[in-house]
Amino acid sequence: MLAYQIQSAGEQAKLREIPVPAPAEGQIRVAIRACGLNFADLLMQKGTYQDTPAAPFTLGLEVAGVVDAVGAGVSHLKPGDRVAVYSGQGGLAQFGVFDAERAVLIPQSCSFEDAAAIQIAYGTSHMALDHRARLQPGETLLVTGAAGGVGLSAVEIGKLMGATVIAQARGADKLAVARAAGADHLIDADEDLRERVLALGGADVVYDAIGGDVFKAAFRATNPEGRLLPIGFAGGEVPQIPANHLLVKNLTVIGFYIGGYLRFRPEVVRNSFETLFAWHAEGRIRPHISHTLPLSEVAQGMALLKARKSTGKVVITI
């Protein structure tokens, strides 16, 4: 089978022919139909992601497809089931073996492309805003990088949870995407973020995927008792948070990493995914996929992420 694989540390990933794997006890083999790309895939290629597997490994963190075979001890899934799997690796291939407990059934109404696009972006936003930040109806949510995969899902989920959403992104085209997802107010990345947010009454919850100066400006525009979620650092700089400023405004900075929950509270991830797929079946969420590419063009998909030329998700079909 074909797999987009890194064979040794520091090596560039490329499509390779490798044997089709067999599922071990507690595992399923999935004939993969779609895999979402993530910024983490770029970091794994550089070896800088916190959960980079030991080489050799196949890239691709979130997959959707059809169960092809089951290992010993698996009784709740069977060949032919349509599943989504937050795999952490192995998704950019024609087949993959994954722990059965990570698989979630997807409704017939949900395409494989949507199922691949929902997991990390929507799972991150749903768990961060609901489980961690406890976003309340009527509060103001500021989303930076609002046209990216996680940012756009945060706009959509924030509106579903009853918040007023301020979306920050670069350029009219990306801001239009955020507005279509439900944003109430738009701020271009070239504008003074702190000034604009304060003029709108300040933010109660900040969902920041950029870091650096953007986080600093959002921090200064947060209302007393506000909560800040440093979700990612796409701008390249991890912000340093002045603890004395937290005290003055009684602010809370909340750490969140969806992959960590797979180790110590996997049921939180499963419950979130089940909620999200139910919302999709009800027509309440619709992932924005700006590019759909075949497995032969996965390098081009990675380049789109690196150059920030995509909005929402890039999905590889297999």
Side-chain angles (χ1 to χ4, degrees):
M1 70 174 192
L2 287 173
Y4 193 68
Q5 191 176 77
I6 292 175
Q7 287 201 327
S8 59
E11 179 192 60
Q12 182 64 35
K14 61 177 66 175
L15 278 176
R16 304 179 189 276
E17 285 273 3
I18 64 171
V20 176
E25 183 175 357
Q27 292 185 324
I28 57 173
R29 184 171 66 205
V30 177
I32 299 169
R33 297 290 183 261
C35 178
L37 297 188
N38 293 274
F39 196 73
D41 291 306
L42 298 177
L43 298 180
M44 282 188 185
Q45 293 194 69
K46 297 192 296 183
T48 57
Y49 189 58
Q50 60 263 31
D51 275 345
T52 300
F57 69 93
T58 298
L59 290 164
L61 282 75
E62 53 185 340
V63 306
V66 179
V67 176
D68 174 69
V70 300
V74 177
S75 58
H76 65 292
L77 295 170
K78 64 184 184 304
D81 283 344
R82 303 170 81 250
V83 294
V85 187
Y86 176 22
S87 58
Q89 61 171 303
L92 290 169
Q94 291 172 308
F95 293 88
V97 292
F98 311 110
D99 291 343
E101 65 180 12
R102 290 196 179 191
V104 176
L105 291 170
I106 58 178
Q108 290 294 326
S109 59
C110 185
S111 70
F112 291 121
E113 291 82 1
D114 278 7
I118 282 172
Q119 296 169 72
I120 292 178
Y122 282 82
T124 294
S125 294
H126 180 241
M127 292 173 61
L129 295 176
D130 182 51
H131 182 71
R132 296 291 284 146
R134 307 295 184 186
L135 179 67
Q136 299 299 307
E139 288 189 314
T140 296
L141 168 67
L142 168 62
V143 180
T144 70
V150 292
L152 200 58
S153 65
V155 170
E156 197 170 354
I157 288 174
K159 285 300 295 180
L160 276 175
M161 294 178 68
T164 296
V165 179
I166 304 171
Q168 182 251 26
R170 185 171 298 281
D173 290 345
K174 291 186 175 182
L175 289 171
V177 171
R179 181 181 293 281
D184 298 286
H185 305 284
L186 306 175
I187 301 176
D188 193 280
D190 291 331
E191 298 181 77
D192 187 318
L193 180 65
R194 174 177 178 268
E195 182 180 289
R196 285 291 316 280
V197 173
L198 288 176
L200 292 168
D204 300 306
V205 175
V206 171
Y207 184 101
D208 175 51
I210 306 300
D213 290 341
V214 171
F215 180 88
K216 293 174 188 175
F219 184 97
R220 296 175 66 198
T222 305
N223 291 328
E225 293 193 329
R227 290 91 74 203
L228 298 104
L229 292 152
I231 293 297
F233 317 109
E237 179 188 341
V238 178
Q240 303 303 303
I241 299 166
N244 58 322
H245 292 187
L246 296 177
L247 304 184
V248 172
K249 292 169 71 174
N250 291 286
L251 301 179
T252 302
V253 179
I254 303 171
F256 175 76
Y257 167 51
I258 188 172
Y261 276 87
L262 291 173
R263 289 189 289 274
F264 68 91
R265 288 195 65 189
E267 73 279 4
V268 176
V269 180
R270 174 178 290 278
N271 291 343
S272 175
F273 285 2
E274 289 175 348
T275 295
L276 292 169
F277 283 122
W279 282 355
H280 185 279
E282 294 164 4
R284 301 178 72 189
I285 60 172
R286 280 290 178 267
H288 175 81
I289 301 171
S290 65
H291 296 81
T292 302
L293 302 169
L295 184 60
S296 60
E297 296 180 16
V298 65
Q300 290 92 316
M302 296 288 188
L304 288 168
L305 289 187
K306 187 173 182 179
R308 300 183 193 175
K309 292 184 177 179
S310 61
T311 54
K313 293 291 289 188
V314 176
V315 173
I316 303 299
T317 56
I318 303 164

